């Protein structure tokens, strides 16, 4: 018997599943330029979630998953610039809307070992602090959020996000 407060879920990170390198206004992330040993998939194609979003959500629903923890790729949200990238925001809105339509609780994580070298998350946060009305136009669904994935690893493992 499963308790009502138990979620049967799946968890991914943007750089491990999305792919879509250079598409939809996505800028270059630290995970896109790191050395990847031969025989290991890189983040440029990954599982190609970017192109198979609807199919992936359908598969999760077929499996009976009721929670999906995913991370934002900040170079998709902000591109290479100082302004939010609407195509990237639309991708995450489609992801969240698709999950909700299938009864899957979206659980976004703000940081999972991927960012650009200019720290677009900080730029986004600072810009959006000054305009709360504009902020509502962006990804703002759900009550479940996670700021960091594995904060201990972030602090103590050098090179995890492509910096050494």
């Amino acid at each position: 018997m499963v308790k009502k407060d138990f979620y049967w879920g799946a968890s991914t990170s943007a750089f491990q599943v999305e792919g879509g390198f250079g598409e939809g206004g996505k800028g270059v992330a630290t995970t896109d330029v790191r050395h990847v040993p031969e025989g290991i998939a890189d983040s440029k194609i990954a599982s190609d979630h970017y192109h198979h979003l609807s199919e992936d959500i359908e598969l999760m629903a077929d499996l009976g998953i009721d929670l999906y923890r995913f991370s934002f790729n900040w170079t998709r949200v902000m591109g290479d610039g100082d302004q939010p990238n609407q195509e990237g925001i639309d991708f995450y809105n489609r992801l969240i809307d698709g999950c909700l339509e299938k009864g899957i609780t979206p659980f976004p994580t703000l940081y999972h070992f991927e960012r650009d070298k200019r720290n677009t998350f900080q730029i986004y946060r600072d810009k959006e602090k000054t305009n709360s009305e504009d902020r509502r136009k962006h990804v703002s669904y759900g009550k479940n959020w996670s700021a960091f994935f594995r904060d201990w690893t972030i602090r103590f493992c050098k090179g995890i996000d492509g910096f050494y």
Side-chain angles (χ1 to χ4, degrees):
M1 180 166 163
V2 178
K3 291 166 55 171
K4 287 185 180 183
D5 60 350
F6 179 83
Y7 286 99
W8 180 255
S11 178
T12 64
S13 71
F15 82 90
Q16 293 170 330
V17 298
E18 276 185 22
F21 176 74
E23 297 182 54
K26 182 189 177 305
V28 178
T30 55
T31 52
D32 294 327
V33 296
R34 67 187 168 90
H35 171 71
V36 178
E38 189 174 331
I40 305 281
D42 68 12
S43 61
K44 293 179 179 147
I45 297 173
S47 300
D48 207 16
H49 187 54
Y50 184 75
H51 294 108
H52 297 280
L53 182 62
S54 296
E55 297 161 71
D56 291 346
I57 293 169
E58 192 67 43
L59 286 170
M60 287 187 274
D62 289 348
L63 288 169
I65 288 170
D66 57 8
L67 183 133
Y68 179 42
R69 191 205 64 83
F70 60 93
S71 65
F72 293 116
N73 185 321
W74 284 98
T75 59
R76 190 171 305 287
V77 173
M78 293 295 289
D80 278 328
D82 294 333
Q83 299 299 317
N85 170 33
Q86 192 59 51
E87 286 183 80
I89 291 166
D90 291 345
F91 170 76
Y92 291 111
N93 282 333
R94 284 192 307 275
L95 169 60
I96 291 167
D97 289 342
C99 285
L100 292 171
E101 288 170 13
K102 294 292 183 178
I104 300 168
T105 299
F107 197 110
T109 298
L110 296 178
Y111 177 80
H112 186 143
F113 307 148
E114 175 280 325
R115 64 185 180 96
D116 82 334
K117 293 184 178 184
R118 294 173 349 116
N119 197 1
T120 51
F121 171 67
Q122 181 74 36
I123 295 167
Y124 180 82
R125 191 192 70 193
D126 291 348
K127 281 185 162 297
E128 297 306 308
K129 270 187 196 174
T130 61
N131 190 345
S132 62
E133 185 63 36
D134 189 48
R135 185 178 200 132
R136 285 188 216 116
K137 291 189 301 188
H138 303 320
V139 179
S140 60
Y141 297 95
K143 59 183 178 181
N144 301 307
W145 288 76
S146 172
F148 300 102
F149 178 75
R150 294 192 196 159
D151 61 336
W152 183 91
T153 306
I154 295 166
R155 290 190 336 235
F156 298 109
C157 294
K158 287 186 175 187
I160 197 74
D161 68 353
F163 289 104
Y164 296 89

